[in-house]
């Protein structure tokens, strides 16, 4: 579901020119229909296009020691974070361009049945890699577990509406270990990508996870993409016993295999044409 809002008829067109520092959030709703039921667990992704997370300076603009909870790096971030290292004479936590550009739209899903909207339960935990959640990302340490006190003396990234210790109300999903933040910090290799946003778990084996029918996507539109001709979309996907649907690996295998086959044929022809020549270094009489 594309909800960028570039089309005048789109419900999200009114939010197209939203800015980073908008004080009043813009909301819009898109209705859609699922033609087929989703039987197993469903994965909700957000997708971005024309967003180059693979730029060299962008990829380097972070401080892994700070993200790992090192207190000295918290107040003295790496120079790789410039120009998002210091703001108003305070160190930025988390510093860097990756964190500063974190995706912050809010997506809610509802099922429409006889003009009645029923919210779909979206699970926000379990979306990040286990190694990222438990090894690479840690909150600062100190007396007590009060994140407000631990981050005292730092400031939020320039484009964030609130500091890192207010990303979530649950202590095990707040600060640097917030899973939405962790997912965003794993940069994408291509300019068109998607990242896991929420999980929809199957409740029982008698009913599909998402039945075929009418649904409504409610969007709190905070993330501007129109200035760089970007696109935003919401993707619902499921998996089979073979995993998720991802054509990239298959295309890569076919491409590399075709190149190897072509080179093999060329080398075979060269071998048959020139391989039987006399290679002796003796000078004939």
């Amino acid at each position: 579901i594309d909800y960028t809002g570039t089309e005048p008829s789109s419900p999200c067109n009114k939010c197209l020119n939203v800015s980073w520092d908008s004080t009043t959030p813009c909301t819009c709703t898109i209705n859609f229909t699922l033609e087929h039921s989703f039987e197993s667990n469903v994965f909700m992704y957000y997708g971005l296009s024309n967003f180059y997370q693979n730029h060299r300076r962008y990829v380097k603009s972070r401080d892994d020691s700070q993200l790992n909870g090192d207190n000295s790096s918290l107040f003295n971030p790496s120079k790789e974070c410039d120009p998002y290292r210091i703001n108003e004479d305070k160190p930025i936590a988390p510093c860097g361009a990756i964190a500063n550009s974190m995706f912050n739209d809010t997506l809610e899903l509802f099922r429409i049945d006889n003009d009645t909207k029923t919210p779909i339960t979206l699970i926000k935990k379990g979306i990040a890699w286990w190694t990222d959640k438990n090894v690479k990302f840690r909150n600062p340490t100190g007396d007590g577990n009060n994140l407000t006190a631990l981050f005292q003396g730092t400031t939020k990234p320039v484009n964030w509406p609130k500091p890192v210790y207010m990303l979530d109300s649950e202590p095990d999903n707040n600060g640097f270990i917030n899973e939405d933040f962790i997912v965003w910090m794993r940069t994408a290799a291509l300019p068109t990508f998607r990242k896991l946003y929420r999980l929809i778990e199957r409740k029982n084996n008698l009913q599909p996870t998402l039945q075929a029918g009418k649904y409504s996507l409610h969007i709190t539109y905070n993330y501007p993409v129109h200035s760089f001709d970007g696109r935003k979309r919401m993707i619902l996907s499921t998996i089979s016993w073979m995993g998720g649907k991802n054509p990239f690996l298959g295309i890569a295998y076919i491409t590399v295999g075709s190149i190897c086959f072509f080179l093999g044929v060329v080398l075979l022809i060269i071998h048959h044409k020139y391989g039987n020549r006399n290679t002796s270094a003796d000078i004939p009489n």
Side-chain angles (χ1 to χ4, degrees):
I1 306 297
D2 190 304
Y3 68 92
T4 312
T6 53
E7 299 79 11
S9 59
S10 172
C12 294
N13 180 258
K14 61 182 180 179
C15 304
L16 185 61
N17 294 316
V18 68
S19 61
W20 289 105
D21 55 355
S22 296
T23 55
T24 304
C26 185
T27 60
C28 56
T29 301
I30 295 180
N31 297 323
F32 64 96
T33 302
L34 284 183
E35 301 294 340
H36 305 284
S37 298
F38 282 20
E39 299 293 338
S40 59
N41 293 339
V42 177
F43 301 86
M44 175 187 279
Y45 299 86
Y46 61 86
L48 294 175
S49 299
N50 203 34
F51 193 110
Y52 288 82
Q53 276 199 314
N54 55 6
H55 192 283
R56 182 182 64 87
R57 289 192 63 189
Y58 182 91
V59 172
K60 293 176 64 179
S61 186
R62 60 188 292 164
D63 187 341
D64 288 317
S65 295
Q66 185 192 61
L67 298 174
N68 195 242
D70 183 73
N71 286 25
S72 61
S73 297
L74 178 66
F75 297 101
N76 186 26
S78 168
K79 293 183 179 179
E80 296 286 359
C81 289
D82 284 332
Y84 303 106
R85 179 173 175 263
I86 303 292
N87 186 33
E88 297 178 352
D89 296 328
K90 290 184 178 181
I92 296 176
C95 71
I98 307 177
N100 187 63
S101 61
M102 179 181 167
F103 181 84
N104 64 341
D105 282 357
T106 301
L107 307 177
E108 298 174 281
L109 191 63
F110 298 87
R111 173 172 170 78
I112 302 176
D113 192 9
N114 296 326
D115 295 329
T116 301
K117 285 187 175 183
T118 304
I120 304 296
T121 302
L122 304 178
I123 300 174
K124 60 185 176 182
K125 295 182 182 179
I127 61 175
W129 289 22
W130 186 91
T131 50
D132 287 349
K133 174 77 173 180
N134 296 280
V135 179
K136 292 185 177 181
F137 290 79
R138 299 289 179 114
N139 280 323
T141 56
D143 296 334
N145 296 318
N146 187 349
L147 289 183
T148 304
L150 292 175
F151 282 99
Q152 189 72 30
T154 66
T155 186
K156 66 179 182 63
V158 178
N159 289 339
W160 284 27
K162 52 188 176 182
V164 67
Y165 51 84
M166 295 179 63
L167 289 179
D168 200 292
S169 58
E170 300 182 28
D172 61 344
N173 193 43
N174 200 11
F176 289 157
I177 59 173
N178 177 265
E179 297 203 26
D180 285 325
F181 171 68
I182 294 173
V183 168
W184 177 257
M185 293 298 292
R186 181 168 284 276
T187 54
L190 300 174
T192 297
F193 59 88
R194 64 183 183 180
K195 292 178 182 285
L196 187 57
Y197 181 70
R198 294 291 182 265
L199 302 174
I200 306 174
E201 290 186 345
R202 188 172 186 176
K203 296 181 179 179
N204 58 67
N205 295 326
L206 301 178
Q207 296 289 336
T209 309
L210 292 179
Q211 298 178 2
K214 296 181 178 180
Y215 288 84
S216 176
L217 177 66
H218 183 80
I219 303 130
T220 304
Y221 200 113
N222 299 315
Y223 201 74
V225 296
H226 184 56
S227 61
F228 56 88
D229 295 325
R231 307 284 296 187
K232 298 192 292 186
R233 62 196 186 281
M234 184 277 297
I235 303 116
L236 293 175
S237 179
T238 186
I239 59 173
S240 66
W241 63 274
M242 294 182 65
K245 181 180 179 181
N246 188 350
F248 174 78
L249 198 58
I251 294 172
Y253 283 164
I254 292 173
T255 302
V256 174
S258 300
I259 294 173
C260 291
F261 177 78
F262 173 76
L263 293 176
V265 172
V266 171
L267 293 175
L268 183 64
I269 294 173
I270 293 173
H271 174 73
H272 277 282
K273 189 173 182 179
Y274 302 104
N276 295 327
R277 287 189 171 185
N278 186 6
T279 58
S280 176
D282 297 336
I283 300 176
N285 295 326

